Amino acid sequence: MQTPFGEIPVIDAHAHFFSHRFFATLAKELPDSPAEADRTATLRTRLPWEFPESDPVRLADRWVAEMDRHGISRMVLIASVPGDEDSVAAAARAHPERIIPYFMLNPTADDATVRAKRAFAELGLAGLCLFPAMHRFHLWEARLFPIYETAAAHGGVVFVHCGHLKVGVRDKLGLPSRFDMRFANPVDLHGVAKAFPTLPFVIPHFGCGCFQELLLVADQCANIYTDTSSSNDWVRLMPYPLDLKALFAKAIQVLGPERLLFGTDSSFFPRGWRKDIFDGQITVLEALQIPPTQAAQILGGNIARLLKR
Ligand SMILES: [Zn+2]
């Protein structure tokens, strides 16, 4: 893509694959409409979004067309409910050069380790995503170690959502969210990241409200990364003024430009790829006078290096 920093292969390191199965799984949680036909109707009334066909390749095609429209090289697409590994695997099989498949895993489930092994070894997925506040576990618990070992053995990435957690689609559908933020501290990752020094851990959204804790733990562990995705409007919760420019500047100072991964948190159609988020971040990188080589690292080089693909 042509950017103010020259021609750069841009890779979005954080976007969601809201598959047919994703919506079907959420629909089952609807408290007020038990029959399947009613569930779909309820989803359609509450969400003014496009609902994907059951074949995940159609949604994959849609994302590739969107990448082409904007000049994006590749995207990380996250299967965003536990159990949806097959959808994103099919998407990546259809477009191996463009789609980098991640999956959400609930490590408290009995079959979590088996699922992680299958996802990496059989389906060829590239990263697993943990949501400690959603599934109520600590990142340092012993039951997670076989999962980390599996990710490390397959050159995977572990994405860990820390801090403030709000899942817009759940809110829009009126689904209850029993999130518990006491599990969401980036500092929980300290011993784990030390125990798996070659396994990259990505804490999205600059820590999502836990910026201080992200800096603390990332300063101690060279294998902790952050992504720049979403509006980062959590800065409104800070007790002191903080904006996107200050976030980038401080994160680059502490982590170095080689540990920041550009992302948008794009998720549904017809909105599609969040060019507004990209443009906002480009403006900040320009204002900070980031050298072109560093901008290229942040905008795609770093995630390509991490994934070795
Ligand atoms: Zn996200």
Side-chain angles (χ1 to χ4, degrees):
M1 182 197 284
Q2 193 56 45
T3 74
F5 306 96
E7 179 70 30
I8 290 175
V10 172
I11 304 175
D12 187 337
H14 183 152
H16 293 270
F17 196 69
F18 284 179
S19 67
H20 184 86
R21 191 178 301 166
F22 170 82
F23 287 113
T25 307
L26 289 187
K28 281 187 198 146
E29 288 189 47
L30 285 170
D32 48 355
S33 52
E36 197 170 337
D38 293 347
R39 285 189 210 133
T40 312
T42 307
L43 281 185
R44 286 182 188 281
T45 345
R46 294 189 191 172
L47 291 176
W49 298 353
E50 287 176 21
F51 287 90
E53 295 169 40
S54 54
D55 180 359
V57 175
R58 297 285 80 79
L59 181 60
D61 293 344
R62 189 88 161 85
W63 275 116
V64 170
E66 189 74 353
M67 282 189 250
D68 289 343
R69 193 159 79 83
H70 292 285
I72 304 301
S73 296
R74 290 190 276 168
M75 285 175 93
V76 166
L77 287 171
I78 304 169
S80 301
V81 283
D84 197 23
E85 299 93 326
D86 291 296
S87 297
V88 84
R93 265 198 307 276
H95 299 284
E97 308 294 322
R98 310 297 296 281
I99 291 175
I100 303 163
Y102 284 18
F103 64 105
M104 183 195 275
L105 183 74
N106 175 2
T108 71
D110 290 342
D111 62 348
T113 305
V114 174
R115 272 197 174 276
K117 281 191 178 140
R118 175 174 175 268
F120 284 111
E122 289 177 36
L123 300 177
L125 302 194
L128 73 84
C129 303
L130 300 173
F131 288 74
M134 183 185 294
H135 296 126
R136 298 167 164 241
F137 62 91
H138 284 289
L139 293 160
W140 42 256
E141 288 176 30
R143 60 181 161 176
L144 276 92
F145 276 59
I147 294 168
Y148 298 137
E149 278 161 19
T150 301
H154 292 89
V157 167
V158 177
F159 167 111
V160 180
H161 186 102
C162 295
H164 193 253
L165 180 60
K166 200 169 147 41
V167 181
V169 60
R170 296 188 68 86
D171 294 346
K172 281 193 174 63
L173 290 172
L175 299 179
S177 296
R178 292 174 56 249
F179 300 161
D180 188 336
M181 230 182 338
R182 92 189 116 137
F183 296 108
N185 193 331
V187 169
D188 270 9
L189 208 49
H190 190 184
V192 174
K194 287 283 180 207
F196 294 91
T198 62
L199 180 59
F201 292 91
V202 179
I203 299 177
H205 321 303
F206 295 103
C208 207
C210 295
F211 189 47
Q212 167 80 79
E213 292 80 359
L214 164 72
L215 297 176
L216 277 174
V217 77
D219 188 56
Q220 298 275 313
C221 306
N223 53 331
I224 292 183
Y225 297 72
T226 191
D227 83 34
T228 64
S229 70
S230 87
S231 60
N232 285 297
D233 78 336
W234 59 262
V235 292
R236 71 193 158 76
L237 304 171
M238 291 293 104
Y240 45 83
L242 191 63
D243 61 15
L244 195 59
K245 188 177 167 199
L247 274 179
F248 265 89
K250 190 70 193 175
I252 289 171
Q253 185 200 336
V254 175
L255 282 78
E258 67 280 358
R259 286 199 278 155
L260 263 65
L261 312 175
F262 157 72
T264 60
D265 213 6
S266 300
S267 52
F268 63 87
F269 288 98
R271 184 177 70 177
W273 190 65
R274 300 289 308 271
K275 184 162 189 309
D276 56 327
I277 301 275
F278 174 77
D279 289 342
Q281 295 186 20
I282 289 288
T283 303
V284 165
L285 292 172
E286 280 188 287
L288 291 170
Q289 299 185 314
I290 300 297
T293 48
Q294 296 186 4
Q297 285 180 297
I298 295 168
L299 293 171
N302 292 334
I303 183 75
R305 188 186 73 242
L306 283 192
L307 292 163
K308 303 170 197 87
R309 50 162 93 180

